[in-house]
């Protein structure tokens, strides 16, 4: 393997220390600790695990965190009412509704009910629109975390060719906008894309976010590319797999993220950064 590993755990640890230092500075200024409230609907084990990880992160940086836990059959209107109450709560700087929601609840309606200055996931159309207009405020967490991974490489990405595989509202689309803002020439590949391999082979920066393990052959990767694998899927044996064939890709890339331990920790630290930003800029 020739690629250097983009260790999201190590980088996120350093960034959490920076967040914690700013929280201490806020207290010295007489300001309260930032507050994050998470809403968990249903008993999905993966969602519950993610929320536990986020609460642990909050404790590490001295955020005030709370979890509102609801049954899986909670009516949509009840959830909307809870979001409205959190919108009005001056102690809450960030609201996170953990996805996925049960099928009877329209996710878009719930996410759009969060006021934009508490949308610390960066999913609200207002915040995506600000990014599209090159005036970002609260940025989608996974793309924000990935941009910090790219910065860690020390490689100037302005002018590079970037390919994003996957066009979801939460990762692929805002990721393309982030790379465009950074000065890359961006291609977004999706389920209708023809000749996917050709688009991958030209990418100096490759971001893959499809949830389809092994979709991208390692031998497709351009020599000395930066490879960011967002996908994480558990196989029948319980092993976690990414969307990129890791070993063969690592023999060609300059930098590559592991799965797990690459993008995931950076997504969580971006959530902390967004919440701190909201506390500092919107809710002082």
């Amino acid at each position: 393997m020739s690629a250097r590993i983009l260790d999201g755990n190590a980088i996120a640890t350093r960034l959490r220390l920076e967040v914690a230092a700013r929280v201490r500075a806020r207290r010295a200024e007489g300001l309260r600790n930032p507050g994050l409230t998470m809403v968990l609907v249903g008993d999905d084990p993966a969602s519950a695990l993610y929320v536990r990880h986020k609460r642990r992160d909050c404790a590490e940086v001295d955020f005030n965190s709370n979890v509102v836990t609801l049954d899986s059959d909670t009516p949509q209107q009840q959830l909307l009412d809870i979001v409205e109450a959190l919108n009005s709560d001056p102690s809450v700087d960030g609201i996170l509704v953990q996805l996925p929601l049960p099928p009877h609840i329209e996710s878009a309606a719930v996410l759009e009910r969060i006021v934009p200055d508490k949308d610390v996931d960066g999913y609200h159309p207002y915040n995506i629109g600000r990014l599209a207009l090159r005036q970002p405020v609260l940025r989608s967490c996974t793309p924000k975390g990935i941009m910090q991974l790219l910065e860690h490489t020390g490689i100037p990405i302005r002018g590079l060719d970037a390919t994003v595989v996957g066009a979801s509202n939460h990762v692929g689309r805002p990721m393309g906008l982030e790379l465009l803002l950074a000065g890359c020439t961006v291609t977004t590949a999706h389920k209708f894309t023809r000749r996917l391999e050709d688009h991958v082979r030209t990418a100096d920066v490759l971001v893959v976010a499809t949830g389809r393990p092994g979709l991208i052959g390692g031998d497709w990767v351009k020599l000395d590319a930066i490879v960011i694998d967002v996908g994480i899927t558990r196989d029948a044996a319980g092993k976690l797999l990414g969307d990129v064939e890791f070993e063969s890709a690592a023999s060609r890339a300059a930098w590559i993220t592991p799965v797990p331990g690459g993008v995931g920790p950076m997504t969580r630290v971006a959530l902390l950064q967004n919440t701190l930003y909201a506390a500092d800029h919107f809710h002082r």
Side-chain angles (χ1 to χ4, degrees):
M1 184 177 74
S2 61
R4 298 177 68 179
I5 298 297
L6 277 168
D7 186 343
N9 283 319
I11 299 168
T13 296
R14 174 176 58 81
L15 294 174
R16 281 196 301 274
L17 290 173
E18 295 177 4
V19 171
R22 175 59 194 143
V23 173
R24 291 193 296 272
R26 281 177 57 88
R27 286 202 299 270
E29 297 168 20
L31 301 172
R32 60 173 174 76
N33 291 358
L36 174 64
T37 294
M38 292 161 272
V39 181
L40 177 63
V41 184
D43 54 4
D44 177 69
S47 293
L49 178 62
Y50 294 150
V51 168
R52 285 198 299 273
H53 285 166
K54 292 166 185 173
R55 289 210 77 184
R56 183 189 64 193
D57 293 342
C58 287
E60 187 173 331
V61 298
D62 277 343
F63 280 14
N64 298 324
S65 70
N66 293 291
V67 178
V68 177
T69 304
L70 302 171
D71 293 336
S72 58
D73 59 356
T74 296
Q76 177 169 307
Q77 187 57 52
Q78 181 180 343
L79 177 55
L80 293 173
D81 291 343
I82 288 170
V83 169
E84 287 287 9
L86 295 172
N87 284 339
S88 302
D89 187 337
S91 70
V92 175
D93 298 296
I95 302 168
L96 182 152
V97 177
Q98 181 65 46
L99 301 178
L101 291 171
H104 70 280
I105 296 178
E106 184 183 355
S107 297
V110 175
L111 297 177
E112 290 182 27
R113 187 62 63 93
I114 299 170
V115 291
D117 61 18
K118 294 189 178 187
D119 167 42
V120 289
D121 255 336
Y123 290 165
H124 195 284
Y126 175 86
N127 286 317
I128 298 291
R130 294 275 310 204
L131 178 59
L133 294 175
R134 296 178 287 183
Q135 301 171 23
V137 184
L138 295 176
R139 307 161 96 133
S140 299
C141 290
T142 296
K144 178 182 174 75
I146 289 171
M147 295 307 295
Q148 293 177 93
L149 284 173
L150 294 175
E151 181 181 350
H152 180 79
T153 67
I155 298 173
I157 65 172
R158 179 178 295 175
L160 296 185
D161 292 326
T163 295
V164 179
V165 184
S168 71
N169 289 342
H170 299 154
V171 180
R173 292 174 188 269
M175 187 74 246
L177 292 171
E178 288 280 5
L179 290 166
L180 190 62
L181 183 62
C184 293
T185 301
V186 181
T187 297
T188 300
H190 43 76
K191 63 182 179 180
F192 302 116
T193 296
R194 301 179 183 180
R195 302 181 303 279
L196 174 60
E197 180 178 345
D198 293 344
H199 295 293
V200 171
R201 287 189 180 279
T202 63
D204 302 303
V205 178
L206 175 65
V207 181
V208 188
T210 67
R212 296 177 59 186
L215 174 68
I216 305 301
D219 60 341
W220 298 4
V221 172
K222 184 178 181 179
L223 288 175
D224 294 329
I226 305 171
V227 179
I228 308 293
D229 192 347
V230 184
I232 185 164
T233 306
R234 194 178 297 275
D235 68 10
K239 182 180 179 181
L240 293 173
L241 302 173
D243 293 349
V244 180
E245 292 179 351
F246 180 83
E247 294 297 337
S248 52
S251 70
R252 299 175 61 81
W255 291 86
I256 192 168
T257 56
V259 177
V263 173
M266 298 301 295
T267 298
R268 298 204 323 264
V269 81
L271 174 68
L272 300 178
Q273 292 170 327
N274 277 350
T275 304
L276 177 60
Y277 184 93
D280 277 345
H281 292 83
F282 302 140
H283 310 137
R284 290 177 70 91

